[in-house]
Amino acid sequence: MSLSLLLEKYDVSTEEGLQKALSEIEKEETEVDEALSGALSRACVLEGRLRSASQAYTKLGEVKADAQEAANMVDRTAALAKDVSAKVRQLDLARSRVAECQRRVHDLIDLQLCSAGVEAAIKAHDYETGAGHVARFLSMDPGSVAAARARGAADPRDAMAKAADTLRDHLVRKFEEAARKDDAASVERLFKLFPQIGRAEEGVELLAKYLAAQAEVTIRRASVVSDANSDAAVFADALTRVLEAAAAAVERCRSAAALHAPGLLPRAVHIIQPTVCSGARRVYRELVSRRRVQPGHAARAPLSALAAEPTLVELALAHNTISLYFTFLRRKTEADASSLNDAAKKASKDAIEKIIAECDLMRAAQDLLGHYLALERYFLEENVNKALKMATPQTGATQSSLVDDIFFIARKAIRRAVSTGSLEGVCAVLNDAGALVERGAAALRRWLRAPQDVLPLPPPPTLHTPSAAGVLDAAGSLAARLNRDVDAQRDLFLAHTNETEAGGEWSERLAAEACAEADVLVRSDSDRDKLQSCAAGLAAAAAAYRAAHELALDGIKAALKPRVVAWAEYIADPGVEPEEMEEDADALPIALDTLLESARTQLSSRSTEAVLLALLADLAARAEARILHHHYDREGGLVVERRARRLASWAGGNIPGARERVSRLTQGAALLALERLAHLQDVLAPACRLPPNLVRDILARRTDFKIEDIKRLKF
Amino acid sequence: MEDYKFLFKVVLVGNAGVGKTCLVRRFTQGLFPPGQGATIGVDFMIKTVEVDGEKVKLQIWDTAGQERFRSITQSYYRSAHALILVYDISCQPTFDCLPDWLREIEEYANNKVLRILVGNKTDREDREIPRHIGEDFAQRHGMYFLETSAKEAENVERLFMEIAVELMEQAKCKELPKYDGSLGPINGKTTSVGDSGCCLRS
């Protein structure tokens, strides 16, 4: 604290103040003294530290020199190590070159041994050893020989190649000899050597030639049909024998070559196939001429549909045998190439497909299918013609069911087409069958269109109502007079009606069945599309049957019309004696019961319902209209209402959904039976089914209601 | 379910090698596959086109021209809506066979089928059948006529589109297609070729 401050702080004018200032100054003085002595005491310590620091610095310089030396040493070591490893690498290279040299020397020595060995083996007929030498030669590093030649030595391969050729010539000669002698064991033994001498293809070809020659004998024997006139499928059997012999040859070749030369089966098939084709063609020619299937064949025309059947079966069988053989070839080729890479597999597959597509057997199969289809079409047409003839309405004679006949024939043909094993065939038969099935529908339609004068159902009993009875009696007697065979005609019409219904169901069923049965022949999506499209053509015939069915039902409805007119008149008729009322109200349900009963026995339930629903709707509409032609008192109205209610309850009890159809009539009749106009709302609740004008018109039919009152009604 | 309003079946017939498959490939896939092998039996392709904003599905049946497949191909005539009869303008024999084909069409096809005569391979230099000869033939037999090149994609699209348009018009004329039972009998002796009303659109 400075003196001036001290002087300001303390009052120096007084003693006390001076005293205080003095003591303060003294206190500060002692503090400064203490601080000074403290600083002086630390000075020696600091000095000591400075000394030690400078000593340490000199030591660090030594450490640095040491470290530098160490770093130099590491560098030198690294350089040395690099030198060493370079030398090791050089050594390695040198060693591998030595090894290669050794191998080549060995190869060269072997080569000489081999060519000498081959010759020795040939002389000793020890072909296995010879082939072993050649195999060794083929597995040699080509560099060895090149190196030897580069040094100016004579090409040692020449001698070896010559020896290998000699061996091959020997093997071929021996193989051919063995084949001539039919020495199967030698053939197999020699065949195995060809892959060893690098000539697997040649071996397979030789083997195939041998097998083809063998198969030819078998095939020639198999293709002879002793009993050519037999009705049994002798030609198809012969074809089966031929193709079995062929398959045996192919299988033998495959099993021999599988281990040593995979993927070469198409080459073998290519050699064996012509023999098979010529054998099959012989059988085919015989078949065509004996079975008279050639189109335009003079003798074919009288061939009846019945007589065509065994031939059809035989043609289908023959075709199927060929397709099975082709499938066999495809499968075996695939198995044969299974151990190869994808490219080789594909090459093998393409090769066999090419052989199959181009061989004469394929043509024979196509020709067979052509003949089969032509004959099948003829069979279908003839049979459908016959069925149409048998089913053509002739009064007095019993008819067979057209639809049953047609679908039986169509189904038979389609199943047979599936048995050919050809999807093309199935599609074509489906097309043809579709046409014929539609012909059936057209015939039925024609017959059903013939005018119907008579009620196609037994006449329901007449009602004991004077006005209605007259109409019904007239219709009945007219019908009876028109034709003595009313019953027969009626039955025929109903039978045809039912047939149209069955035909519709059958068409769809047959199409679905055909798709399911032919599914085994489908090999691709487009195949499936094709099959389904052709089957859809058959299913489309269902529409034709449905249309004919509609026509038939219309016919029935039209024939029932006079009765409906009479019944409508009866419902609307106000006049009845009070004691007859109960009996009167039951008359219509009884008549309808009779109608329903006979309809049920003669028609399907679906058709019955359709007819009766239409009838009830028509009846209700007509009765509603008739009501407007009469005048009623309360009694008369009650009679009509009772009849309408009975009709509604009958409809509700017998035909599903029919009560709705007569609900308007019931409401109209209830209007007629009103006790007083004020009760109108009870009748119209819960819903008014009649238009307001009609409600007023019906109410106006009541003689006891006033027109002005009716006009005032609000609803 | 595919969305289309009309489905028409179009069948191509004609001698082997006149280019039926190439026409179909060009139209359905836009390709001209050289070195096409002979068709076996019947091939089946689908293409949906649009006419006046309506989807029309064309089901195209490409038949084999070789004689031995006749039994198969004949079965497809009946359900066809349109038949395209193809010949090769550079090969007289294919034109000479046309009457045989017409006989076959009359025998097996529906007599109302739309028939189109097509002279294919207009890209070829060595034409043997002049255009007017083909036109005359078509007119005489009440057929539409068109010359095409599947290779150059000439008139191919037009051929099928005009068929689609024509068939759609026909279908609309008898809207509510009711079954009228008048499909030609499969082996019946339908006579009289061509409704005289046919006009040439080329």
Side-chain angles (χ1 to χ4, degrees):
Chain A
M1 199 182 294
S2 66
L3 190 62
S4 57
L5 279 174
L6 210 68
L7 291 178
E8 276 173 28
K9 192 177 172 186
Y10 301 103
D11 186 6
V12 283
S13 54
T14 63
E15 172 130 359
E16 197 183 351
L18 277 172
Q19 204 65 44
K20 272 183 188 166
L22 183 67
S23 69
E24 184 82 7
I25 289 167
E26 275 170 356
K27 208 164 87 194
E28 271 190 29
E29 202 180 314
T30 52
E31 270 172 18
V32 169
D33 280 347
E34 271 169 26
L36 269 174
S37 65
L40 284 172
S41 69
R42 269 211 310 275
C44 61
V45 178
L46 281 173
E47 241 168 65
R49 279 192 188 163
L50 266 175
R51 240 191 335 271
S52 64
S54 66
Q55 276 167 4
Y57 182 76
T58 51
K59 269 187 193 153
L60 263 179
E62 282 168 32
V63 170
K64 188 189 170 192
D66 284 355
Q68 192 63 49
E69 209 174 320
N72 289 342
M73 280 197 18
V74 169
D75 273 352
R76 270 200 302 279
T77 316
L80 270 172
K82 222 182 269 174
D83 276 2
V84 169
S85 70
K87 283 195 175 130
V88 169
R89 263 204 305 279
Q90 277 176 352
L91 271 175
D92 263 354
L93 194 66
R95 202 188 59 182
S96 69
R97 281 188 183 161
V98 169
E100 197 180 330
C101 276
Q102 277 179 324
R103 200 173 63 243
R104 287 188 180 180
V105 169
H106 278 302
D107 277 358
L108 289 176
I109 295 168
D110 275 0
L111 201 54
Q112 261 160 11
L113 277 179
C114 280
S115 50
V118 170
E119 275 169 40
I122 291 171
K123 276 194 194 112
H125 298 289
D126 181 5
Y127 300 111
E128 275 77 4
T129 316
H133 286 310
V134 176
R136 169 82 187 90
F137 163 59
L138 292 172
S139 68
M140 268 178 204
D141 181 1
S144 312
V145 183
R149 207 169 43 173
R151 289 198 177 79
D155 192 339
R157 286 178 306 180
D158 290 348
M160 189 62 220
K162 230 182 269 165
D165 278 346
T166 324
L167 178 62
R168 179 203 148 258
D169 291 345
H170 270 270
L171 281 179
V172 171
R173 210 166 47 241
K174 283 279 158 192
F175 192 101
E176 280 168 352
E177 261 173 42
R180 255 200 309 282
K181 282 191 278 185
D182 203 4
D183 177 358
S186 304
V187 162
E188 297 244 333
R189 187 191 126 209
L190 292 166
F191 169 72
K192 279 183 197 140
L193 302 177
F194 280 92
Q196 281 196 44
I197 63 168
R199 292 177 189 268
E201 287 92 344
E202 205 174 351
V204 169
E205 277 170 20
L206 280 169
L207 180 67
K209 264 186 214 150
Y210 161 68
L211 290 172
Q214 269 205 328
E216 192 174 5
V217 183
T218 333
I219 285 172
R220 196 173 284 282
R221 254 202 318 273
S223 62
V224 175
V225 174
S226 50
D227 188 10
N229 292 321
S230 161
D231 266 350
V234 284
F235 294 105
D237 288 348
L239 195 61
T240 309
R241 288 198 300 273
V242 166
L243 295 178
E244 271 170 0
V250 171
E251 173 57 19
R252 213 175 132 195
C253 189
R254 191 198 66 84
S255 62
L259 211 59
H260 313 285
L264 294 176
L265 192 61
R267 208 177 261 266
V269 174
H270 185 70
I271 292 165
I272 298 172
Q273 196 52 34
T275 316
V276 182
C277 288
S278 66
R281 181 55 77 171
R282 267 199 304 279
V283 179
Y284 166 81
R285 270 200 299 268
E286 274 283 286
L287 189 159
V288 168
S289 74
R290 292 292 181 135
R291 298 295 193 222
R292 303 184 301 191
V293 291
Q294 193 73 47
H297 198 292
R300 186 181 149 191
L303 189 71
S304 75
L306 198 66
E309 274 219 85
T311 310
L312 279 168
V313 172
E314 185 164 27
L315 287 170
L317 192 62
H319 188 272
N320 190 39
T321 310
I322 299 179
S323 3
L324 285 177
Y325 172 72
F326 286 142
T327 312
F328 167 85
L329 287 186
R330 289 191 185 101
R331 223 180 41 235
K332 288 293 164 189
T333 308
E334 203 184 322
D336 182 52
S338 59
S339 61
L340 304 175
N341 61 23
D342 284 349
K345 270 184 198 160
K346 188 176 177 307
S348 187
K349 190 168 179 237
D350 291 350
I352 199 75
E353 287 299 341
K354 189 164 181 285
I355 293 170
I356 290 174
E358 289 173 0
C359 73
D360 182 60
L361 185 61
M362 181 51 113
R363 286 199 56 138
Q366 288 162 350
D367 289 339
L368 270 176
L369 189 66
H371 295 322
Y372 162 77
L373 288 173
L375 194 60
E376 189 72 274
R377 182 181 299 155
Y378 171 77
F379 170 82
L380 277 167
E381 272 167 17
E382 287 296 296
N383 272 308
V384 170
N385 285 344
K386 201 167 117 197
L388 280 170
K389 213 157 106 191
M390 301 273 288
T392 301
Q394 293 160 310
T395 12
T398 36
Q399 281 85 35
S400 60
S401 158
L402 179 66
V403 165
D404 284 358
D405 286 354
I406 286 184
F407 282 96
F408 176 76
I409 297 157
R411 186 190 227 175
K412 194 184 223 177
I414 291 169
R415 291 207 169 144
R416 194 155 45 212
V418 173
S419 80
T420 59
S422 155
L423 190 75
E424 290 283 1
V426 176
C427 287
V429 170
L430 277 174
N431 291 337
D432 289 345
L436 292 170
V437 164
E438 267 186 26
R439 250 179 89 192
L444 281 171
R445 191 184 164 82
R446 218 164 37 242
W447 298 334
L448 287 167
R449 202 187 261 155
Q452 285 297 316
D453 314 326
V454 291
L455 176 66
L457 294 169
T462 49
L463 306 168
H464 300 295
T465 318
S467 56
V471 179
L472 285 175
D473 280 343
S477 57
L478 175 72
R481 259 184 287 123
L482 268 174
N483 201 325
R484 281 186 297 125
D485 300 311
V486 172
D487 286 343
Q489 277 212 15
R490 186 168 55 212
D491 289 347
L492 192 61
F493 185 88
L494 289 170
H496 288 157
T497 307
N498 289 329
E499 283 199 34
T500 52
E501 195 173 14
E505 284 161 15
W506 262 109
S507 306
E508 281 166 356
R509 190 163 144 203
L510 199 60
E513 240 178 54
C515 276
E517 281 170 20
D519 200 58
V520 288
L521 307 175
V522 169
R523 291 207 294 169
S524 66
D525 283 348
S526 86
D527 276 1
R528 180 160 289 115
D529 288 349
K530 199 154 110 179
L531 174 66
Q532 279 173 353
S533 174
C534 290
L538 183 57
Y545 280 98
R546 300 245 154 80
H549 186 59
E550 281 301 309
L551 188 76
L553 293 188
D554 286 348
I556 294 178
K557 286 176 207 161
L560 280 167
K561 196 173 158 192
R563 244 135 266 246
V564 173
V565 170
W567 287 339
E569 181 54 46
Y570 146 77
I571 291 174
D573 184 21
V576 67
E577 296 302 316
E579 64 269 22
E580 285 175 10
M581 240 163 80
E582 200 49 44
E583 194 188 333
D584 166 83
D586 282 337
L588 184 56
I590 290 171
L592 284 170
D593 270 339
T594 320
L595 179 67
L596 179 65
E597 203 61 35
S598 56
R600 281 216 173 118
T601 53
Q602 309 259 27
L603 294 171
S604 74
S605 62
R606 200 167 355 135
S607 306
T608 306
E609 277 166 22
V611 167
L612 277 152
L613 265 181
L615 181 141
L616 286 170
D618 191 24
L619 175 59
R622 280 172 194 281
E624 202 180 298
R626 286 311 299 164
I627 284 173
L628 299 177
H629 288 88
H630 291 280
H631 292 283
Y632 303 87
D633 51 13
R634 173 95 207 284
E635 286 299 305
L638 279 173
V639 168
V640 173
E641 196 234 357
R642 184 188 291 251
R643 288 177 190 143
R645 247 187 307 115
R646 289 287 166 94
L647 177 65
S649 85
W650 183 89
N654 287 291
I655 316 288
R659 198 189 283 271
E660 278 294 294
R661 302 288 170 104
V662 294
S663 58
R664 253 177 78 131
L665 175 65
T666 341
Q667 204 167 45
L671 288 175
L672 280 183
L674 273 184
E675 197 183 339
R676 59 179 74 146
L677 284 175
H679 296 167
L680 180 66
Q681 287 309 327
D682 300 344
V683 172
L684 297 182
C688 179
R689 295 174 190 278
L690 299 161
N693 282 346
L694 193 58
V695 172
R696 289 202 171 86
D697 288 350
I698 292 174
L699 288 172
R701 294 280 117 194
R702 277 283 290 271
T703 47
D704 48 341
F705 292 159
K706 291 203 179 74
I707 296 290
E708 303 83 69
D709 295 342
I710 295 171
K711 275 185 181 160
R712 271 201 299 277
L713 286 173
K714 288 213 163 53
F715 49 89
Chain B
M1 196 58 205
E2 252 180 290
D3 167 40
Y4 58 88
K5 191 157 183 202
F6 297 94
L7 170 76
F8 298 124
K9 290 189 183 178
V10 180
V11 178
L12 283 97
V13 296
N15 277 27
V18 296
K20 298 181 288 298
T21 304
C22 288
L23 281 170
V24 175
R25 285 289 176 94
R26 169 60 79 192
F27 176 63
T28 57
Q29 302 168 332
L31 301 173
F32 180 74
Q36 185 72 32
T39 307
I40 306 292
V42 172
D43 267 348
F44 169 75
M45 303 262 188
I46 284 180
K47 181 156 172 164
T48 307
V49 296
E50 204 161 294
V51 180
D52 299 337
E54 307 226 55
K55 290 251 170 76
V56 178
K57 187 167 166 181
L58 292 178
Q59 217 178 55
I60 303 164
W61 298 88
D62 171 26
T63 66
Q66 286 158 313
E67 181 69 33
R68 64 179 182 282
F69 297 111
R70 234 18 85 75
S71 300
I72 296 176
T73 55
Q74 282 162 354
S75 78
Y76 287 87
Y77 286 44
R78 188 189 60 95
S79 59
H81 294 98
L83 273 167
I84 304 179
L85 176 50
V86 189
Y87 69 92
D88 174 356
I89 60 145
S90 66
C91 178
Q92 185 71 40
T94 66
F95 186 81
D96 296 340
C97 283
L98 292 182
D100 299 337
W101 285 106
L102 280 180
R103 260 195 296 284
E104 196 157 280
I105 291 172
E106 276 162 44
E107 188 174 354
Y108 294 103
N110 180 343
N111 52 9
K112 285 184 194 154
V113 69
L114 180 69
R115 293 174 306 166
I116 305 98
L117 182 66
V118 168
N120 191 31
K121 307 196 188 178
T122 51
D123 52 279
R124 297 274 294 235
E125 305 273 293
D126 51 349
R127 182 191 273 271
E128 285 184 9
I129 298 115
R131 184 192 166 84
H132 68 91
I133 299 281
E135 245 167 23
D136 283 355
F137 186 91
Q139 200 159 27
R140 264 206 313 282
H141 295 92
M143 305 166 87
Y144 289 86
F145 179 75
L146 207 60
E147 281 195 343
T148 59
S149 162
K151 191 177 179 185
E152 306 292 338
E154 199 184 302
N155 275 343
V156 179
E157 189 81 14
R158 185 176 155 201
L159 167 67
F160 286 97
M161 287 309 287
E162 286 193 6
I163 289 173
V165 169
E166 179 66 30
L167 287 175
M168 207 168 97
E169 271 171 25
Q170 283 185 9
K172 280 187 171 167
C173 281
K174 44 177 181 184
E175 195 72 273
L176 297 176
K178 211 165 174 251
Y179 177 75
D180 59 358
S182 61
L183 286 178
I186 188 163
N187 203 9
K189 297 289 170 271
T190 35
T191 45
S192 102
V193 189
D195 339 9
S196 47
C198 265
C199 49
L200 280 162
R201 295 185 148 213
S202 37

